[in-house]
Amino acid sequence: MNKLLPGFSEGFPVALRVWLVFLLCLVLLGYSVPFSIVVGAVGGIAGGWVVAWWNSKDKPKEAPSEPQDEPEEAPVKLSGLALAKQRRDARARKRSQKSSVPLTGLFNRSK
């Protein structure tokens, strides 16, 4: 049974107790004995399984590391005119984003 439900050996005593409690309660409530045995066994197995799961010590699974075939490209360093053009374009984009939203500067105080 341990192959079907790994870790169930810790919950087995609890499963027997839960089965007995279900069996006695169902018989006292007036259900037939075979029905009480079957339903009690199902309840006992479920209870033992939950206890075994609760007491299990799971280790976090490590993601397999993938080997990188190609080295990552280093960012290109700009200088001179190319750097100036990049900065100018960034300022233009920033200005166009600000001006695209209407009434953004309407309530700002000017110093």
Side-chain angles (χ1 to χ4, degrees):
M1 179 168 240
N2 201 12
K3 290 180 182 177
L4 294 175
L5 299 170
F8 189 72
S9 60
E10 296 95 26
F12 188 72
V14 175
L16 287 177
R17 288 186 215 132
V18 171
W19 174 57
L20 183 61
V21 168
F22 267 92
L23 175 69
L24 291 176
C25 289
L26 290 171
V27 168
L28 291 175
L29 287 173
Y31 290 98
S32 66
V33 174
F35 177 77
S36 300
I37 290 172
V38 171
V39 172
V42 170
I45 290 171
W49 194 8
V50 168
V51 168
W53 168 77
W54 192 272
N55 291 332
S56 69
K57 306 283 189 253
D58 290 338
K59 296 178 183 174
K61 295 179 181 178
E62 294 180 16
S65 61
E66 298 178 9
Q68 295 182 0
D69 295 335
E70 300 175 15
E72 294 183 21
E73 296 179 17
V76 178
K77 301 217 178 204
L78 301 176
S79 62
L81 293 176
L83 181 60
K85 182 180 183 312
Q86 184 182 23
R87 288 180 181 167
R88 184 185 68 218
D89 293 341
R91 277 195 308 268
R93 277 193 305 270
K94 193 173 181 181
R95 284 186 197 133
S96 66
Q97 288 174 354
K98 282 184 179 179
S99 64
S100 65
V101 180
L103 305 176
T104 53
L106 183 65
F107 298 106
N108 291 342
R109 283 185 154 171
S110 60
K111 293 182 181 182

